[in-house]
Each structure stands twice: as structure tokens, then as C-alpha cells.
Amino acid sequence: MSEWGDVFGFGVCGEPQQAGFNELSISRVSHLQEIRVTAGSVGLAHAALVSDTGHLYTFGKGKYGRLGNGYESNNNYPMKVSGVLKKKRVVKVSCGAFHTAVVTSNGELYTFGRNDSGQLGVVWKNTPSTATTAKTDVSNLPHYNLPNKDKEKEKQEEIPLLTEPQMVNFFSGRVVQNVACGTNHTLISLGRGELYGFGDNSFGQVGVIGEKKYFAPVKVSLELSGVEFGAPVSLISCGSSFSAVVAGRKLCTWGKNDKGQCGQGFLTEFISAPALVPTLAKIDIRSVSCGLEHMGIVSQSDGAVYMWGSNSHAQLGFGDILNTVLVMSAQESSSSTQTPFCVNPRQVKEALFNKRCYSLSCGSYHTAVLTEAREVFTFGLGDFGQLGNNVASNASSPYHVRLPAHKGEHKPLVAFLEAGGRFSLCGTIFKPLVTISSGTFKEDTDQILAFDNYSDIQIIANGNERTKAHKIMLSRSEQLQNLIKDLGQELPLEVDPVPLALALNYLYKGDFNEQAEREFLNKAGNIVPIDFWRQIVKASESLRLEYLRDYSLRKIQTLSGAKDVVPALVPLPHLGDHLSNFVNKDLFHDIVFTYENSGVQEYVYAHKVILAGRCERFRNEFSGNFAESKMAAIPIDGILDATNAGNAPTGVAFKRMLYYLYTGNIGDNWLEENPDVAVDLLMLSNEYGLDHLKQCIESFMVTNAIDVENVSSLFQLANTYEATQLKAFCEYFIMCEIDNVAMTEGWKNLDSELAQQITSKRKPVSENAGKDGKCTLQ
């Protein structure tokens, strides 16, 4: 399995002989080095890919600006779309015939491309910089298949378009969940069952009765179709001039129906409002897709595929069953059309018989199906190799596509599959990245100076003004630590308040810069700079801060023009190194944790200011609203019992968590030397909301701790304790090693819902796998 995954394409995307593909063979999409692709979409003559980092890449035909790259020229290879999407994270994309729409992680909708029918949902009074008009002639491109009257119209009219992504402001402040693009119209779904459409409505495909075109989004009602009010819209799809949604577990279709593409059991020019598909009323649907004049679904319960609509190029996959027009009444039998079609959903069998399918995608005149075993099947028109069968011929029944594997590797496991005009696209599963953020140690400890509540000493400046401080932080200066060990709660110093504040700021934060200089100079008021630095020298000597003293002497030297020799600057030790000396030490401690270990009471010493500064849960517990704030010793037996996997001695993980809070790290090679503590630490990191610590544990476990025997239990653990990166990697591991994992005790004991998350994507084994020693991949 490729670490980065693969993206395969077959057929033609854009002009024939372009886009870097040999259209009669399956090719890896190039120029995707070190890019992990999670999703894709294929339009009439272009395609789009979404990476795991949320970037959008497009390629194919660029006419009308459908690639979003600021111009109308073609992209032979995937190129990143920037503009307003540069700092956005794209999560979903849909390609129409001549336009594209994307949804970002915060629920914003962006569109670009052709807008002659309002399919972008963007209305402008004054043409924006990225909007333009263009004349076009597509009459010589056979894979467009526009009706002749539309080709003539194209030659004459100027087409409004956007060549770069633009936000659809109509949905500003609302969360768009999904988007689907048809030939010249668009559907989007929000939460609470809300559905909107815009664009061409010549055949009622937007879902409302009224105008022929809607340049702004209009709300589509599903209530008259029998869908309960507010029922969630789970799936949406748009065809050439018809639409489909699954809402409240019910399939509704509307729009053009001259080939039975709405699946309503009869022919009519169009259906103007959403209507339930009666023959599928009792079937839960996991996938739905609309083609140019045909449509299909995959059932949730048994993975069966149902198709209907035009079968002009065998795109329904029924084999030789529909060689003639399939009629439903005497009136229809007198129709002059000779195009085969099916007006009712019918199950596809042939090679898909006994296959559990996962998803399907309908192109213009072909269909692609992905099974739970991650196999690809195609059927329909194959004139440009879009079926992946290495020949320019049609397939009337499902053809099993063999994707090329890397040398020495198993066959690719397909993650997503998309079909478009004369092109098919699929991406394989890749190894998830486990990343560790920079952490928040510096930001957390910088705020400690302001934590007056946890002060254990007061500095008295010039005999009267008091400043609260913390012995554990003052002791960062070794000389000062020796001074305050024997002191009570007061430290008198002959120093002015402002220089003292600057000195403390340096002592706590460990750095000093020009911005800090300016801030404290302003606080000092009308003082000559050289006198200010002399005061800082005095304050730093009082606090035994050699670095700050020498830094100030250099400032004085520069301001006075003197040439005295100043010692080399020796900065304070790193705060984490300093605080590591206080982990579970009673020096300056003000809180004790206690627990029982094998009948013996154990104690862990800590310092509230560090725990509160680094951990929100401790900060809340130490506030006046919690019982812990009044306890001299806090019992933690319950926490340790809940976060102890039984592989490590009691309390070890808790002490190491404190070490992390004090230092910002777990310790060099500590986990390698104590691997049995990793699970306990993971659970504690979730219990105390320490995301950076969790990432460190996840990275260690992915690198060192996962095997066939334990991956199922770790998958369950990751799900329970919200270790999303570990969970993703475990899922990847199980998908790759499904046969072996399904034989283990861990798989038998895996929660059924979690197992379903795997088996819904790849059916692992036969019913008796793991019980009779057999493991047969379906």
C-alpha cells in the first residue's frame, strides 16, 4: 500500500490526448507527489481533487473558468487552486458540466465557472474582477454531446462566468453541509433538513415551480413529497436536468423524466416538485448518483445496486435484458423513441450478484461501482476507455477493473470512485499522517506571572509597594533560590516598582526584546533612558539575574559611549529544565495528590501555579467552586482506576503526566523505556484535556506499538478516548490487514458499531472467520 496513496484515471478528461492520460489504459494521475487525496469529483470535461490538508486541485478543460485558476486555459495535470481558497480548508467538491462548487471546513460555499443560468448562486451588480464573459464553440468536441441547438446557441452568446472561486454570500453565517452540481444547476443542503437550489430550472430540476432560471438560491420543500419536516438531508445528487435527495431515509427525485430518469414508474417531460420513488420506499440508501439521463443507488442493508433511466449505451448494467424499449403502459409502447430505458429501479446482477457494494457514481453514459471489498466495476459507454477495460468499447454488464499495484505490494484498496463525462477517477487508501503540534508550553507559562491566586511570596519594593510572586519561578535564579528557601512569605528589596516588574517579566518568561523594552520605558514615564537602565541593573542585582544585569550594562554602555568591557551574556536555563527539578518534590509545594498502592498510601507533591497554568481542568479544580480548592491532599484513586490499563504500576502515568506539565515534553526515550505506560498516559491526556501530550502518545504508538493482535483493541481505545490520529491509523492498518486481523481475539471483542465502520468500507471475511480458522475475502 502506497504511503501517499494513488489516484488513477481512465478515459479522457478535457481534450482528447490531453490531461496526461492514455485514455485506453489505466494511468496514475501525475504531479501528486506527497499529496494525499481524500476525495474527488468529475464533471463533463474536468475533474477536482481534495487533499488531506484541505487543498483543492483541478485539471482538464478550463473553458468558462471551471478550474478556478483565474483563466480559461486547460490544465493537463492537477494544479492547486488558490485565490480566496488559499487559507481555507476544502472538505467537499462537486463538478458540474461547466462549473465547480466546494464546501469548506467552516461550512462556507464557493463556486466558479459558467454562470449563464445562475448555477453559481452568485449575483453581482457590477462585474467583479474575476467575472467575465466568453464566446465558445464546442461543436467539434464529440465528448461534450450537447444537443445541436445548444451548440448553435453557444456560438452566438456571450457567457457570464467566474474564473476564480467566489463565496456564495447567501449562505454567510450558515453551515453548508453538502453540494451537488448538475449540468447547469446546483443543490446544497444545510442542517435541519434545509435544501436549496439555483441555476437552470427549465425542467423543474431546481425543485420549485416558477422561473426558468434562478440566479440566487431558493428553498426547496420536501414536505409535499411525504418527507417529515426537518428530516436530515443525507445525500444529494444532480444529473443533466434532474435531481435527487435522500432525506429522512427516503429518496425523492424531480426534473426531466423523458427517459424515466426520475424512477417514478412512468414517463413525462418533467416532474416539477420533489416526489418519493415508491418502489424504494422501504430501502435504506447509502449512495445515490445521477448521470446525464440515468440514475442509481446502493442499498444500505445488502449493498445491492439499483439502476434506472436511459440505457442508450448500456449504462444501466443489465446485460442484454434491455435490448428494446422497456414500456410500462400501452400509451408508452406507442412512443416513437427507440432508446432503451427503464422507468422503475431494477437491481443490477451479473458480476455484482452477491457483491456488497459501497458506492456508485454515474457519468454521462457510464457507471462506476465500488464494492465493500474495494473492487471497482464499470459498465456503459467505453468509447474513450472510461470503463478501464483497455479497449474503446461498451460493456453491457459490470466489468471488474484491475488497478495496477506497486511492485511487491497488494492490490490497491480504493477509497473513493467518481465518474464523469468520458472519464473515471479513483483514489486509494493511504497511510494517515500522525502529526505533533508545537505545544503550548511557552504560551502557558508566560501567563503564570498574572496568576496572583497561587502566589506564595510577596516582593516589597522600596519598603511599601507589594508584588505577588511564586517561589518556584523566582528560584529560576540559583542565587535567588538559596535566598528564598529560608524566607517566609515576604522578600523586601530596595528597588523601584517598574524596574522590578521588568525584571520579573524576564525571570518568568526567560526572554527580553525591544518590544518589551518600549513597553516598560513607557510605563516608567519621563525618565532618561540611561537612568532607566541603571535602575534595571539595580533590580537585576537584587534578584540575582546576571543576564538581565549584563544586558542592561550593555545598554548603558551604548547610550553613554563608554568602552568598558561587559561580560558575555549567559541566559537563564530553559524553564522546562528548571521546573523538571520540582516534579514530585516537596520544595515550595502547595498541593499534594494521594492514592493507595498495594495497601500503602502514596503522595505526589506539586505546585498549583504550574498545574493551573498548563491545564484548564486543574485551573477549574483549584478555583473556589470545587471541593479540591479546599483540600490539602487530593485523592486521585478514582482517576487512576479509570485510566489504568493494568500494564503499568499504579501512579507511574500520573507522575509522568505531571512531568509533561512541568517541562512540555515526556522525556527523551522515556516511552521507549516504559512502553507499558503509553496506554495509561493516553487515557490521562484525554481525561485532563492535554491534546499535545495525546499527540505525542499517538505518534509513539503508531511507530512502535501496533500489530495484528492488538490493533482492534487500540482502535476501540482510540475511539473511546478521542485519539483521532491513532484511530485513523488503526482503521488504515485493519483495512490493509483485514484477513489477519479478523482472525484475532481483539477483532471478536471489538464493539459492533466500530466493526461496522470497517466492514461498511471493506467486508473483511466470511461469517465464520476467526471461528473456524478460515478467512476469505469477499
PDB file of all heavy atoms in Angstrom, residues 748-775:
ATOM      1  N   LYS A 748     -12.802 -10.098  17.559  1.00  0.00           N
ATOM      2  CA  LYS A 748     -14.031 -10.686  18.088  1.00  0.00           C
ATOM      3  C   LYS A 748     -14.646  -9.802  19.173  1.00  0.00           C
ATOM      4  O   LYS A 748     -15.864  -9.686  19.287  1.00  0.00           O
ATOM      5  CB  LYS A 748     -13.740 -12.062  18.683  1.00  0.00           C
ATOM      6  CG  LYS A 748     -13.379 -13.139  17.680  1.00  0.00           C
ATOM      7  CD  LYS A 748     -13.132 -14.440  18.425  1.00  0.00           C
ATOM      8  CE  LYS A 748     -12.685 -15.546  17.493  1.00  0.00           C
ATOM      9  NZ  LYS A 748     -12.395 -16.801  18.224  1.00  0.00           N
ATOM     10  N   ASN A 749     -13.778  -9.169  19.961  1.00  0.00           N
ATOM     11  CA  ASN A 749     -14.253  -8.376  21.093  1.00  0.00           C
ATOM     12  C   ASN A 749     -14.498  -6.913  20.725  1.00  0.00           C
ATOM     13  O   ASN A 749     -14.910  -6.121  21.582  1.00  0.00           O
ATOM     14  CB  ASN A 749     -13.231  -8.440  22.236  1.00  0.00           C
ATOM     15  CG  ASN A 749     -13.065  -9.854  22.772  1.00  0.00           C
ATOM     16  OD1 ASN A 749     -14.015 -10.635  22.801  1.00  0.00           O
ATOM     17  ND2 ASN A 749     -11.844 -10.202  23.172  1.00  0.00           N
ATOM     18  N   LEU A 750     -14.248  -6.549  19.492  1.00  0.00           N
ATOM     19  CA  LEU A 750     -14.424  -5.162  19.076  1.00  0.00           C
ATOM     20  C   LEU A 750     -15.894  -4.784  19.108  1.00  0.00           C
ATOM     21  O   LEU A 750     -16.768  -5.572  18.719  1.00  0.00           O
ATOM     22  CB  LEU A 750     -13.867  -4.973  17.659  1.00  0.00           C
ATOM     23  CG  LEU A 750     -13.873  -3.550  17.089  1.00  0.00           C
ATOM     24  CD1 LEU A 750     -12.991  -2.629  17.919  1.00  0.00           C
ATOM     25  CD2 LEU A 750     -13.405  -3.560  15.633  1.00  0.00           C
ATOM     26  N   ASP A 751     -16.171  -3.579  19.589  1.00  0.00           N
ATOM     27  CA  ASP A 751     -17.542  -3.079  19.617  1.00  0.00           C
ATOM     28  C   ASP A 751     -18.175  -3.198  18.239  1.00  0.00           C
ATOM     29  O   ASP A 751     -17.550  -2.897  17.217  1.00  0.00           O
ATOM     30  CB  ASP A 751     -17.522  -1.616  20.063  1.00  0.00           C
ATOM     31  CG  ASP A 751     -18.909  -1.014  20.113  1.00  0.00           C
ATOM     32  OD1 ASP A 751     -19.608  -1.221  21.107  1.00  0.00           O
ATOM     33  OD2 ASP A 751     -19.274  -0.324  19.137  1.00  0.00           O
ATOM     34  N   SER A 752     -19.417  -3.636  18.196  1.00  0.00           N
ATOM     35  CA  SER A 752     -20.074  -3.927  16.921  1.00  0.00           C
ATOM     36  C   SER A 752     -20.188  -2.692  16.034  1.00  0.00           C
ATOM     37  O   SER A 752     -20.042  -2.781  14.809  1.00  0.00           O
ATOM     38  CB  SER A 752     -21.457  -4.531  17.163  1.00  0.00           C
ATOM     39  OG  SER A 752     -22.269  -3.631  17.915  1.00  0.00           O
ATOM     40  N   GLU A 753     -20.450  -1.532  16.642  1.00  0.00           N
ATOM     41  CA  GLU A 753     -20.566  -0.317  15.834  1.00  0.00           C
ATOM     42  C   GLU A 753     -19.225   0.068  15.212  1.00  0.00           C
ATOM     43  O   GLU A 753     -19.170   0.527  14.071  1.00  0.00           O
ATOM     44  CB  GLU A 753     -21.100   0.835  16.691  1.00  0.00           C
ATOM     45  CG  GLU A 753     -22.554   0.663  17.092  1.00  0.00           C
ATOM     46  CD  GLU A 753     -23.090   1.890  17.802  1.00  0.00           C
ATOM     47  OE1 GLU A 753     -22.350   2.904  17.885  1.00  0.00           O
ATOM     48  OE2 GLU A 753     -24.238   1.840  18.276  1.00  0.00           O
ATOM     49  N   LEU A 754     -18.133  -0.135  15.970  1.00  0.00           N
ATOM     50  CA  LEU A 754     -16.814   0.146  15.413  1.00  0.00           C
ATOM     51  C   LEU A 754     -16.463  -0.842  14.308  1.00  0.00           C
ATOM     52  O   LEU A 754     -15.891  -0.479  13.282  1.00  0.00           O
ATOM     53  CB  LEU A 754     -15.753   0.094  16.518  1.00  0.00           C
ATOM     54  CG  LEU A 754     -15.724   1.272  17.476  1.00  0.00           C
ATOM     55  CD1 LEU A 754     -14.640   1.073  18.522  1.00  0.00           C
ATOM     56  CD2 LEU A 754     -15.478   2.570  16.725  1.00  0.00           C
ATOM     57  N   ALA A 755     -16.805  -2.096  14.527  1.00  0.00           N
ATOM     58  CA  ALA A 755     -16.550  -3.095  13.488  1.00  0.00           C
ATOM     59  C   ALA A 755     -17.322  -2.746  12.221  1.00  0.00           C
ATOM     60  O   ALA A 755     -16.816  -2.915  11.110  1.00  0.00           O
ATOM     61  CB  ALA A 755     -16.948  -4.477  13.992  1.00  0.00           C
ATOM     62  N   GLN A 756     -18.534  -2.206  12.400  1.00  0.00           N
ATOM     63  CA  GLN A 756     -19.347  -1.815  11.243  1.00  0.00           C
ATOM     64  C   GLN A 756     -18.688  -0.688  10.466  1.00  0.00           C
ATOM     65  O   GLN A 756     -18.794  -0.616   9.237  1.00  0.00           O
ATOM     66  CB  GLN A 756     -20.745  -1.395  11.717  1.00  0.00           C
ATOM     67  CG  GLN A 756     -21.659  -0.875  10.617  1.00  0.00           C
ATOM     68  CD  GLN A 756     -21.971  -1.915   9.556  1.00  0.00           C
ATOM     69  OE1 GLN A 756     -21.886  -3.114   9.815  1.00  0.00           O
ATOM     70  NE2 GLN A 756     -22.312  -1.462   8.357  1.00  0.00           N
ATOM     71  N   GLN A 757     -17.975   0.213  11.163  1.00  0.00           N
ATOM     72  CA  GLN A 757     -17.256   1.283  10.467  1.00  0.00           C
ATOM     73  C   GLN A 757     -16.230   0.712   9.495  1.00  0.00           C
ATOM     74  O   GLN A 757     -15.966   1.296   8.452  1.00  0.00           O
ATOM     75  CB  GLN A 757     -16.562   2.194  11.484  1.00  0.00           C
ATOM     76  CG  GLN A 757     -17.502   3.038  12.309  1.00  0.00           C
ATOM     77  CD  GLN A 757     -16.757   3.962  13.253  1.00  0.00           C
ATOM     78  OE1 GLN A 757     -15.584   4.269  13.051  1.00  0.00           O
ATOM     79  NE2 GLN A 757     -17.430   4.414  14.300  1.00  0.00           N
ATOM     80  N   ILE A 758     -15.653  -0.416   9.859  1.00  0.00           N
ATOM     81  CA  ILE A 758     -14.685  -1.069   8.973  1.00  0.00           C
ATOM     82  C   ILE A 758     -15.395  -1.870   7.895  1.00  0.00           C
ATOM     83  O   ILE A 758     -15.125  -1.728   6.703  1.00  0.00           O
ATOM     84  CB  ILE A 758     -13.742  -1.988   9.769  1.00  0.00           C
ATOM     85  CG1 ILE A 758     -12.989  -1.185  10.836  1.00  0.00           C
ATOM     86  CG2 ILE A 758     -12.764  -2.695   8.824  1.00  0.00           C
ATOM     87  CD1 ILE A 758     -12.035  -0.176  10.312  1.00  0.00           C
ATOM     88  N   THR A 759     -16.325  -2.717   8.312  1.00  0.00           N
ATOM     89  CA  THR A 759     -16.950  -3.634   7.360  1.00  0.00           C
ATOM     90  C   THR A 759     -17.830  -2.906   6.350  1.00  0.00           C
ATOM     91  O   THR A 759     -18.090  -3.428   5.269  1.00  0.00           O
ATOM     92  CB  THR A 759     -17.785  -4.690   8.103  1.00  0.00           C
ATOM     93  OG1 THR A 759     -18.763  -4.044   8.932  1.00  0.00           O
ATOM     94  CG2 THR A 759     -16.892  -5.559   8.974  1.00  0.00           C
ATOM     95  N   SER A 760     -18.293  -1.702   6.680  1.00  0.00           N
ATOM     96  CA  SER A 760     -19.070  -0.950   5.706  1.00  0.00           C
ATOM     97  C   SER A 760     -18.191  -0.449   4.563  1.00  0.00           C
ATOM     98  O   SER A 760     -18.682  -0.121   3.487  1.00  0.00           O
ATOM     99  CB  SER A 760     -19.767   0.235   6.389  1.00  0.00           C
ATOM    100  OG  SER A 760     -18.814   1.178   6.837  1.00  0.00           O
ATOM    101  N   LYS A 761     -16.897  -0.392   4.811  1.00  0.00           N
ATOM    102  CA  LYS A 761     -15.964   0.074   3.786  1.00  0.00           C
ATOM    103  C   LYS A 761     -15.245  -1.083   3.098  1.00  0.00           C
ATOM    104  O   LYS A 761     -14.924  -1.011   1.919  1.00  0.00           O
ATOM    105  CB  LYS A 761     -14.925   1.013   4.411  1.00  0.00           C
ATOM    106  CG  LYS A 761     -15.534   2.267   5.013  1.00  0.00           C
ATOM    107  CD  LYS A 761     -14.492   3.085   5.744  1.00  0.00           C
ATOM    108  CE  LYS A 761     -15.120   4.300   6.399  1.00  0.00           C
ATOM    109  NZ  LYS A 761     -14.136   5.086   7.190  1.00  0.00           N
ATOM    110  N   ARG A 762     -14.985  -2.122   3.865  1.00  0.00           N
ATOM    111  CA  ARG A 762     -14.383  -3.310   3.270  1.00  0.00           C
ATOM    112  C   ARG A 762     -14.835  -4.528   4.047  1.00  0.00           C
ATOM    113  O   ARG A 762     -14.503  -4.700   5.210  1.00  0.00           O
ATOM    114  CB  ARG A 762     -12.851  -3.227   3.292  1.00  0.00           C
ATOM    115  CG  ARG A 762     -12.223  -4.354   2.478  1.00  0.00           C
ATOM    116  CD  ARG A 762     -10.708  -4.358   2.558  1.00  0.00           C
ATOM    117  NE  ARG A 762     -10.187  -5.376   1.656  1.00  0.00           N
ATOM    118  CZ  ARG A 762      -8.977  -5.887   1.728  1.00  0.00           C
ATOM    119  NH1 ARG A 762      -8.142  -5.469   2.648  1.00  0.00           N
ATOM    120  NH2 ARG A 762      -8.578  -6.800   0.876  1.00  0.00           N
ATOM    121  N   LYS A 763     -15.626  -5.374   3.384  1.00  0.00           N
ATOM    122  CA  LYS A 763     -16.132  -6.567   4.038  1.00  0.00           C
ATOM    123  C   LYS A 763     -14.957  -7.491   4.287  1.00  0.00           C
ATOM    124  O   LYS A 763     -14.295  -7.941   3.356  1.00  0.00           O
ATOM    125  CB  LYS A 763     -17.173  -7.246   3.142  1.00  0.00           C
ATOM    126  CG  LYS A 763     -17.970  -8.321   3.847  1.00  0.00           C
ATOM    127  CD  LYS A 763     -18.883  -7.733   4.899  1.00  0.00           C
ATOM    128  CE  LYS A 763     -19.764  -8.794   5.535  1.00  0.00           C
ATOM    129  NZ  LYS A 763     -20.605  -8.226   6.585  1.00  0.00           N
ATOM    130  N   PRO A 764     -14.652  -7.790   5.556  1.00  0.00           N
ATOM    131  CA  PRO A 764     -13.388  -8.461   5.823  1.00  0.00           C
ATOM    132  C   PRO A 764     -13.353  -9.942   5.505  1.00  0.00           C
ATOM    133  O   PRO A 764     -12.444 -10.404   4.833  1.00  0.00           O
ATOM    134  CB  PRO A 764     -13.192  -8.224   7.326  1.00  0.00           C
ATOM    135  CG  PRO A 764     -14.563  -8.061   7.872  1.00  0.00           C
ATOM    136  CD  PRO A 764     -15.364  -7.427   6.774  1.00  0.00           C
ATOM    137  N   VAL A 765     -14.303 -10.692   6.029  1.00  0.00           N
ATOM    138  CA  VAL A 765     -14.187 -12.144   5.983  1.00  0.00           C
ATOM    139  C   VAL A 765     -15.561 -12.777   5.899  1.00  0.00           C
ATOM    140  O   VAL A 765     -16.583 -12.115   5.977  1.00  0.00           O
ATOM    141  CB  VAL A 765     -13.473 -12.670   7.249  1.00  0.00           C
ATOM    142  CG1 VAL A 765     -12.004 -12.309   7.235  1.00  0.00           C
ATOM    143  CG2 VAL A 765     -14.146 -12.150   8.488  1.00  0.00           C
ATOM    144  N   SER A 766     -15.569 -14.099   5.775  1.00  0.00           N
ATOM    145  CA  SER A 766     -16.833 -14.830   5.764  1.00  0.00           C
ATOM    146  C   SER A 766     -17.432 -14.847   7.157  1.00  0.00           C
ATOM    147  O   SER A 766     -16.815 -14.445   8.141  1.00  0.00           O
ATOM    148  CB  SER A 766     -16.598 -16.269   5.285  1.00  0.00           C
ATOM    149  OG  SER A 766     -15.788 -16.963   6.220  1.00  0.00           O
ATOM    150  N   GLU A 767     -18.640 -15.338   7.274  1.00  0.00           N
ATOM    151  CA  GLU A 767     -19.354 -15.340   8.550  1.00  0.00           C
ATOM    152  C   GLU A 767     -18.589 -16.116   9.626  1.00  0.00           C
ATOM    153  O   GLU A 767     -18.685 -15.824  10.799  1.00  0.00           O
ATOM    154  CB  GLU A 767     -20.747 -15.958   8.367  1.00  0.00           C
ATOM    155  CG  GLU A 767     -21.684 -15.113   7.528  1.00  0.00           C
ATOM    156  CD  GLU A 767     -22.020 -13.812   8.216  1.00  0.00           C
ATOM    157  OE1 GLU A 767     -22.140 -13.810   9.449  1.00  0.00           O
ATOM    158  OE2 GLU A 767     -22.147 -12.799   7.503  1.00  0.00           O
ATOM    159  N   ASN A 768     -17.821 -17.127   9.240  1.00  0.00           N
ATOM    160  CA  ASN A 768     -17.144 -17.974  10.214  1.00  0.00           C
ATOM    161  C   ASN A 768     -15.693 -17.583  10.447  1.00  0.00           C
ATOM    162  O   ASN A 768     -14.955 -18.293  11.102  1.00  0.00           O
ATOM    163  CB  ASN A 768     -17.189 -19.439   9.756  1.00  0.00           C
ATOM    164  CG  ASN A 768     -18.607 -19.964   9.710  1.00  0.00           C
ATOM    165  OD1 ASN A 768     -19.404 -19.647  10.587  1.00  0.00           O
ATOM    166  ND2 ASN A 768     -18.930 -20.746   8.695  1.00  0.00           N
ATOM    167  N   ALA A 769     -15.272 -16.444   9.887  1.00  0.00           N
ATOM    168  CA  ALA A 769     -13.877 -16.050  10.043  1.00  0.00           C
ATOM    169  C   ALA A 769     -13.543 -15.865  11.510  1.00  0.00           C
ATOM    170  O   ALA A 769     -14.301 -15.288  12.274  1.00  0.00           O
ATOM    171  CB  ALA A 769     -13.613 -14.759   9.295  1.00  0.00           C
ATOM    172  N   GLY A 770     -12.373 -16.341  11.891  1.00  0.00           N
ATOM    173  CA  GLY A 770     -11.927 -16.213  13.263  1.00  0.00           C
ATOM    174  C   GLY A 770     -12.486 -17.295  14.163  1.00  0.00           C
ATOM    175  O   GLY A 770     -12.060 -17.443  15.287  1.00  0.00           O
ATOM    176  N   LYS A 771     -13.438 -18.090  13.666  1.00  0.00           N
ATOM    177  CA  LYS A 771     -14.018 -19.156  14.476  1.00  0.00           C
ATOM    178  C   LYS A 771     -13.571 -20.523  13.981  1.00  0.00           C
ATOM    179  O   LYS A 771     -13.268 -21.402  14.759  1.00  0.00           O
ATOM    180  CB  LYS A 771     -15.540 -19.052  14.460  1.00  0.00           C
ATOM    181  CG  LYS A 771     -16.053 -17.737  15.056  1.00  0.00           C
ATOM    182  CD  LYS A 771     -17.562 -17.669  14.990  1.00  0.00           C
ATOM    183  CE  LYS A 771     -18.052 -16.347  15.568  1.00  0.00           C
ATOM    184  NZ  LYS A 771     -19.520 -16.213  15.493  1.00  0.00           N
ATOM    185  N   ASP A 772     -13.535 -20.684  12.634  1.00  0.00           N
ATOM    186  CA  ASP A 772     -13.120 -21.980  12.102  1.00  0.00           C
ATOM    187  C   ASP A 772     -11.758 -21.920  11.431  1.00  0.00           C
ATOM    188  O   ASP A 772     -11.345 -22.846  10.768  1.00  0.00           O
ATOM    189  CB  ASP A 772     -14.164 -22.503  11.108  1.00  0.00           C
ATOM    190  CG  ASP A 772     -14.339 -21.557   9.923  1.00  0.00           C
ATOM    191  OD1 ASP A 772     -13.618 -20.535   9.863  1.00  0.00           O
ATOM    192  OD2 ASP A 772     -15.184 -21.860   9.062  1.00  0.00           O
ATOM    193  N   GLY A 773     -11.072 -20.782  11.608  1.00  0.00           N
ATOM    194  CA  GLY A 773      -9.733 -20.658  11.054  1.00  0.00           C
ATOM    195  C   GLY A 773      -9.691 -20.227   9.619  1.00  0.00           C
ATOM    196  O   GLY A 773      -8.625 -20.049   9.058  1.00  0.00           O
ATOM    197  N   LYS A 774     -10.862 -20.024   9.007  1.00  0.00           N
ATOM    198  CA  LYS A 774     -10.886 -19.612   7.608  1.00  0.00           C
ATOM    199  C   LYS A 774     -11.041 -18.106   7.508  1.00  0.00           C
ATOM    200  O   LYS A 774     -11.704 -17.487   8.318  1.00  0.00           O
ATOM    201  CB  LYS A 774     -12.044 -20.305   6.879  1.00  0.00           C
ATOM    202  CG  LYS A 774     -11.916 -21.816   6.823  1.00  0.00           C
ATOM    203  CD  LYS A 774     -13.096 -22.424   6.094  1.00  0.00           C
ATOM    204  CE  LYS A 774     -12.989 -23.942   6.061  1.00  0.00           C
ATOM    205  NZ  LYS A 774     -14.137 -24.553   5.365  1.00  0.00           N
ATOM    206  N   CYS A 775     -10.430 -17.532   6.503  1.00  0.00           N
ATOM    207  CA  CYS A 775     -10.515 -16.088   6.305  1.00  0.00           C
ATOM    208  C   CYS A 775     -10.588 -15.824   4.818  1.00  0.00           C
ATOM    209  O   CYS A 775      -9.574 -15.827   4.136  1.00  0.00           O
ATOM    210  CB  CYS A 775      -9.302 -15.394   6.919  1.00  0.00           C
ATOM    211  SG  CYS A 775      -9.380 -13.613   6.812  1.00  0.00           S
TER     212      CYS A 775
END
